[in-house]
Amino acid sequence: MNQFTFVGKIQNIKDSESFHPVEKRTFDSGWSMTTVRFNCISGTNRVMCVAQGGKWNDDKKNVVKTFSKAVTNEDGSVTKGEKIDIPWAKRFDEKEIEKVAGYRKFVVDLGDAQMRYALQNAVKAFENDKITDELIAKTSCNTLEEAKAALEKSVARKHVFLSEWDFAEFMAKVVASDKIKNTTFRISGYQEVQYSAEKGRFYVNYRVNRVDIAKEGLDDTTDLSVDFYFSKNCVDDEDFDETGKGYINGYTTYWDSMMKKNGFMPITFIVRDKEKLRVMKKRFSVDDDEIKNVGLVGEVIQGASMSAITYDDLSDEDKENVDCGLVSVEELAAAMGGQKVGERIAEIRLKGFNARKKTVEETTYTTDDMHPAMAENSVEDDDDIL
């Protein structure tokens, strides 16, 4: 499952007759679904994200199906996590939350995680009579009581949910709040893929499961880690000299929640660096119809392209000033912001290998396996074919 990490500001999407960013639907079956769509504004990118969850209207039918966390035993052995059910009425109990694996929790942290860590250290230091001037200065707490009170407030700003419905409901409040307008967030989750066999089309969402206030100094980014499968001649550099773009074509796997199985979706990375394209072509060597696998990281680009301001972009008056030596192109470009906004683009731009999966590996797949998840043919279907 492809994971994403976006760093940017959360922007509410305007509601209209044709599009409702926040939807709360109830079906005849008694199932209710809350869907919250919002934009992540990261640099010149505007990427739509989704928080979504459902539950039965009759709470007696609700239960949180999740996974327990692994436990390290006294002898050093590890007991793996397993499927567990949490009673609906106990889903906010700290003891129940503590049982659940971190990757199965849904988190909205509206506090400063670094300050929270410092406050935790300060409380321990005060209790052990080992407080330092550095911790006092960092936390602005001069007593144990002040540190405990500040820590309690910080912990209260971290919201942990076991139910995705609760998470979506809370995100609806977060997105609508004016208090977050100037806050930079780290938004993470997974790439959700759905395939319509009728239309022969894939639909992709960026499904959010965690939102944190970004650490100070963290750059805006829209990174997507992709489990990438490729075959022979996957690198296309034919038009690079003309267009400044190369292509790496392949597939990525996804989970089809309706079919309850994995499928493959075509995916293309754009490469705008000639040397990087040359190296990738060298790395991606494949024979015949075999399929190989590697982890890649791309930048999700959905917005306006940016390019450097040149002489041709200047007004006639500015060009005359440059021609006379009264000012340079570089000085004028700097005064104008350095870059200009170009055409709108939507692409996944290659950043490089995923450090955790950077080695190209062989698989047992062939090109015939690179298709969407499909239902198994029934015996009757086979008889009809024969």
Side-chain angles (χ1 to χ4, degrees):
M1 190 177 292
N2 299 333
Q3 306 289 324
F4 70 86
T5 300
F6 298 161
V7 177
K9 292 180 170 59
I10 290 177
Q11 182 189 63
N12 204 351
I13 301 175
K14 187 176 181 180
D15 189 272
S16 66
E17 291 185 9
S18 59
F19 182 78
H20 304 293
V22 178
E23 286 186 295
K24 298 186 178 185
R25 302 176 61 192
T26 299
F27 301 91
D28 293 339
S29 62
W31 181 257
S32 290
M33 179 76 74
T34 297
T35 303
V36 182
R37 302 177 184 87
F38 61 90
N39 286 327
C40 172
I41 307 300
S42 180
T44 59
N45 286 323
R46 183 190 303 268
V47 185
M48 189 167 70
C49 302
V50 179
Q52 185 180 69
K55 75 176 189 71
W56 297 104
N57 291 333
D58 181 0
D59 281 345
K60 294 178 182 178
K61 299 171 67 174
N62 288 314
V63 63
V64 178
K65 293 189 174 294
T66 186
F67 214 82
S68 66
K69 61 183 179 183
V71 177
T72 302
N73 304 310
E74 292 183 0
D75 60 0
S77 61
V78 177
T79 301
K80 294 182 178 180
E82 59 184 4
K83 292 180 180 179
I84 57 173
D85 289 348
I86 304 294
W88 187 252
K90 294 185 177 181
R91 68 192 190 279
F92 293 115
D93 290 1
E94 288 298 327
K95 289 183 178 179
E96 300 297 333
I97 292 174
E98 184 62 25
K99 295 178 184 177
V100 177
Y103 71 94
R104 294 300 297 267
K105 297 174 183 177
F106 305 92
V107 178
V108 181
D109 192 348
L110 300 175
D112 186 331
Q114 292 176 302
M115 177 58 72
R116 187 179 303 125
Y117 181 72
L119 287 167
Q120 290 171 339
N121 288 336
V123 169
K124 291 179 183 177
F126 273 119
E127 290 176 338
N128 296 315
D129 198 25
K130 293 183 178 180
I131 192 64
T132 64
D133 291 339
E134 183 182 358
L135 269 178
I136 290 175
K138 189 170 185 178
T139 61
S140 299
C141 296
N142 295 298
T143 65
L144 173 61
E145 290 70 26
E146 288 180 357
K148 282 185 174 180
L151 178 59
E152 185 178 350
K153 288 182 179 179
S154 179
V155 170
R157 294 183 65 79
K158 182 177 181 179
H159 307 270
V160 181
F161 305 98
L162 300 184
S163 159
E164 200 166 9
W165 179 81
D166 290 315
F167 173 70
E169 286 282 310
F170 191 78
M171 280 304 300
K173 298 176 182 178
V174 171
V175 172
S177 174
D178 290 334
K179 296 179 181 179
I180 67 163
K181 283 186 176 180
N182 297 316
T183 303
T184 299
F185 289 93
R186 182 180 183 273
I187 304 162
S188 53
Y190 65 94
Q191 188 185 52
E192 179 185 51
V193 178
Q194 297 174 327
Y195 177 71
S196 170
E198 181 181 351
K199 297 181 179 179
R201 180 178 176 182
F202 289 94
Y203 297 88
V204 176
N205 287 319
Y206 293 99
R207 189 81 171 259
V208 180
N209 54 31
R210 187 178 182 108
V211 176
D212 304 88
I213 291 179
K215 294 180 180 178
E216 188 175 349
L218 197 61
D219 293 334
D220 283 2
T221 187
T222 49
D223 286 355
L224 175 66
S225 296
V226 176
D227 191 21
F228 187 68
Y229 294 81
F230 60 94
S231 58
K232 190 176 182 180
N233 299 323
C234 66
V235 178
D236 180 1
D237 59 356
E238 185 176 349
D239 298 325
F240 188 90
D241 290 336
E242 181 181 343
T243 65
K245 292 192 298 183
Y247 306 88
I248 300 179
N249 301 303
Y251 306 87
T252 188
T253 186
Y254 71 96
W255 174 253
D256 191 306
S257 58
M258 298 296 291
M259 298 288 181
K260 304 298 182 185
K261 62 173 64 175
N262 287 318
F264 289 91
M265 174 184 74
I267 188 169
T268 296
F269 286 87
I270 304 298
V271 186
R272 294 179 179 270
D273 183 289
K274 192 170 186 177
E275 180 62 17
K276 184 181 289 187
L277 189 64
R278 183 191 68 79
V279 173
M280 299 305 281
K281 190 172 184 178
K282 180 181 177 181
R283 296 283 190 275
F284 289 177
S285 175
V286 180
D287 296 326
D288 300 325
D289 65 344
E290 67 178 357
I291 295 291
K292 291 186 178 181
N293 174 237
V294 72
L296 297 180
V297 178
E299 182 181 7
V300 180
I301 305 293
Q302 292 184 10
S305 61
M306 303 295 291
S307 59
I309 294 173
T310 66
Y311 179 85
D312 292 335
D313 300 312
L314 303 178
S315 66
D316 291 339
E317 182 177 336
D318 283 337
K319 287 179 180 178
E320 187 175 23
N321 290 336
V322 170
D323 294 339
C324 294
L326 297 175
V327 69
S328 69
V329 174
E330 290 75 20
E331 290 171 331
L332 288 172
M336 297 165 65
Q339 292 186 312
K340 63 180 179 181
V341 178
E343 62 182 6
R344 294 197 63 80
I345 54 176
E347 64 187 40
I348 300 176
R349 188 172 300 168
L350 182 71
K351 295 186 74 171
F353 290 113
N354 185 333
R356 296 180 179 180
K357 198 177 180 182
K358 65 181 185 299
T359 303
V360 174
E361 297 178 350
E362 295 184 355
T363 74
T364 57
Y365 295 117
T366 68
T367 52
D368 291 337
D369 299 313
M370 300 294 104
H371 56 70
M374 295 186 296
E376 299 287 345
N377 286 334
S378 65
V379 174
E380 290 76 11
D381 289 337
D382 289 342
D383 289 340
D384 289 343
I385 293 172
L386 294 172

